[in-house]
Amino acid sequence: MTLGKIKMASDFQGWIAAHQVRFEGVLRELLPRAEVAPQRLHEAMRYAVLDGGKRVRPLLAFAAGELVGADVKRVNIAAAAVELIHAYSLVHDDMPCMDDDVLRRGKPTCHVQYDDATALLVGDSLQTLAFQLLAEHRLSADAASQLEMIKLLAVATGSRGMAGGQAIDLSSVGKSLTLPELEFMHIHKTGALIRAAVMLGAQCGSVSPAQLAQLDRFGKLIGLAFQVVDDVLDCEADTATLGKTAGKDADNDKPTYVSLLGINEARNMASRLHREALETLAEFGDSAQRLRELADFIVLRKF
Ligand code: GRG
């Protein structure tokens, strides 16, 4: 899978393609085999994770890992943990009790393909598998920093991160939020996991506290930019291109950057966040090239 038709340097395209193919193999190995009992649950977990998605979060982890010379085998595990959490969130988000959607990554959503109870268990099992991976593989030189990594992903995933953002999202349907309220929601719902991907990739290698602080800021800014662009695409792109139902935000009367700012201002905001994110990488020089290119992709993508 490629990242679409936007113009990218050919070596960056090659870097992406190589990581996507390799990482698909990593996920296939790490997920429970479909022949192992309970077969239907394992098959549904594989359905929800494999053969789809842009893998933006894993790519951010690989780029951050490369920046600090991390062993790619360690980053594989960190990236897989983040992607499993992401896949869990999509499965639950699509269920009738939340966003109630039938299409994800160009395929029927998990609860449509299987059933509600299976989808619930798929999300639960993907989430716990993510933490199992972080606990059972050596990711860092010492146990204390590995525990910090596990805590980082837990906070990013839970009520002070993604799940908390989702709770605010669900309760804001039909309401108008202020810009700071909308930002708070999205920094948590979408941004927290993107930020965690960058941080965990870097923590697999040797990174100073000052570098980590810069990368944290990069992750926060690019995570928010991702969401602003997602709001724009929800209005502008079509369902076939997105692989999920377009126009859902307006249909569900959800506050978005577009509903609050209008499409042009939302685009300007994404550009500003993009610029600020790139500024945080200035001191890393050429070693941050992949992160810069991924930031460009996140803001320029068409799906
Ligand atoms: C259910 C706890 C819980 C949280 C759900 C992620 C999320 C929170 C909801 C998804 C709804 C949504 C469309 C959010 C906008 C941003 C987003 C996460 C888009 C999907 O991510 P991509 O574009 O998807 O990286 P792929 O399929 O490429 O991996």
Side-chain angles (χ1 to χ4, degrees), residues 1 52-57 83 86 88-90 92-93 98-99 104-105 157 162-164 166 169 189-190 226-227 230-231 244 254 301 303:
M1 175 183 189
K54 298 178 285 296
R55 310 296 192 207
V56 164
R57 295 154 193 80
E83 187 66 12
H86 172 57
Y88 128 66
S89 80
L90 298 179
H92 281 191
D93 182 67
M98 296 210 195
D99 218 26
R104 173 69 65 183
R105 295 176 164 176
T157 301
M162 181 182 75
Q166 177 78 347
D169 187 344
K189 186 180 100 162
T190 313
F226 183 97
Q227 181 61 54
D230 209 74
D231 286 356
K244 61 180 181 178
K254 277 192 178 179
R301 72 199 160 101
F303 65 110

Side-chain angles (χ1 to χ4, degrees), residues 52-121:
K54 298 178 285 296
R55 310 296 192 207
V56 164
R57 295 154 193 80
L59 290 169
L60 285 167
F62 290 123
E66 283 182 21
L67 173 61
V68 297
D71 178 348
V72 73
K73 290 203 187 80
R74 289 184 178 183
V75 188
N76 280 342
I77 300 299
V82 172
E83 187 66 12
L84 294 180
I85 297 282
H86 172 57
Y88 128 66
S89 80
L90 298 179
V91 169
H92 281 191
D93 182 67
D94 289 332
M95 290 185 69
C97 59
M98 296 210 195
D99 218 26
D100 194 9
D101 217 327
V102 295
L103 189 70
R104 173 69 65 183
R105 295 176 164 176
K107 309 190 283 194
T109 47
C110 191
H111 68 279
V112 169
Q113 182 75 11
Y114 293 89
D115 53 71
D116 286 6
T118 303
L120 197 63
L121 291 171

Side-chain angles (χ1 to χ4, degrees), residues 10-303:
S10 66
D11 75 316
F12 179 53
Q13 284 187 35
W15 180 86
I16 285 174
H19 273 298
Q20 283 175 332
V21 170
R22 196 185 51 73
F23 186 62
E24 195 68 18
V26 169
L27 289 172
R28 277 182 197 282
E29 283 298 310
L30 293 174
L31 281 160
R33 293 208 322 275
E35 305 77 48
V36 172
Q39 287 90 343
R40 186 174 160 83
L41 176 59
H42 289 158
E43 186 195 299
M45 287 167 72
R46 297 178 77 86
Y47 177 84
V49 175
L50 298 175
D51 300 321
K54 298 178 285 296
R55 310 296 192 207
V56 164
R57 295 154 193 80
L59 290 169
L60 285 167
F62 290 123
E66 283 182 21
L67 173 61
V68 297
D71 178 348
V72 73
K73 290 203 187 80
R74 289 184 178 183
V75 188
N76 280 342
I77 300 299
V82 172
E83 187 66 12
L84 294 180
I85 297 282
H86 172 57
Y88 128 66
S89 80
L90 298 179
V91 169
H92 281 191
D93 182 67
D94 289 332
M95 290 185 69
C97 59
M98 296 210 195
D99 218 26
D100 194 9
D101 217 327
V102 295
L103 189 70
R104 173 69 65 183
R105 295 176 164 176
K107 309 190 283 194
T109 47
C110 191
H111 68 279
V112 169
Q113 182 75 11
Y114 293 89
D115 53 71
D116 286 6
T118 303
L120 197 63
L121 291 171
V122 163
D124 294 344
S125 305
L126 293 177
Q127 176 166 203
T128 45
L129 179 58
F131 289 103
Q132 182 189 330
L133 293 178
L134 291 188
E136 71 188 3
H137 290 83
R138 167 63 73 91
L139 301 181
S140 182
D142 62 282
S145 34
Q146 182 145 349
L147 270 181
E148 279 302 315
M149 293 168 77
I150 296 173
K151 182 178 160 192
L152 188 141
L153 187 62
V155 173
T157 301
S159 63
R160 286 182 291 150
M162 181 182 75
Q166 177 78 347
I168 300 171
D169 187 344
L170 292 171
S171 65
S172 68
V173 171
K175 293 189 188 149
S176 66
L177 296 183
T178 63
L179 201 54
E181 286 169 339
L182 189 68
E183 183 173 304
F184 183 89
M185 174 172 92
H186 286 313
I187 281 178
H188 290 79
K189 186 180 100 162
T190 313
L193 202 56
I194 289 180
R195 195 172 173 182
V198 175
M199 294 291 275
L200 290 178
Q203 283 172 300
C204 288
S206 155
V207 61
S208 71
Q211 287 177 319
L212 210 51
Q214 289 295 93
L215 290 172
D216 190 25
R217 180 145 177 77
F218 169 79
K220 183 177 174 183
L221 289 162
I222 211 62
L224 191 56
F226 183 97
Q227 181 61 54
V228 180
V229 172
D230 209 74
D231 286 356
V232 170
L233 290 175
D234 190 66
C235 292
E236 289 195 326
D238 55 58
T239 297
T241 310
L242 292 178
K244 61 180 181 178
T245 314
K248 281 285 283 199
D249 294 334
D251 289 352
N252 290 344
D253 200 12
K254 277 192 178 179
T256 65
Y257 284 100
V258 175
S259 68
L260 220 66
L261 299 175
I263 200 109
N264 286 338
E265 261 316 297
R267 273 206 212 94
N268 289 342
M269 181 172 175
S271 303
R272 200 179 64 246
L273 291 165
H274 180 210
R275 212 170 39 247
E276 288 174 17
L278 293 180
E279 280 164 19
T280 67
L281 301 177
E283 282 172 27
F284 291 106
D286 288 348
S287 58
Q289 191 52 26
R290 296 300 181 216
L291 278 182
R292 283 189 197 96
E293 288 165 326
L294 281 171
D296 296 345
F297 164 71
I298 283 171
V299 175
L300 299 175
R301 72 199 160 101
K302 301 284 176 233
F303 65 110

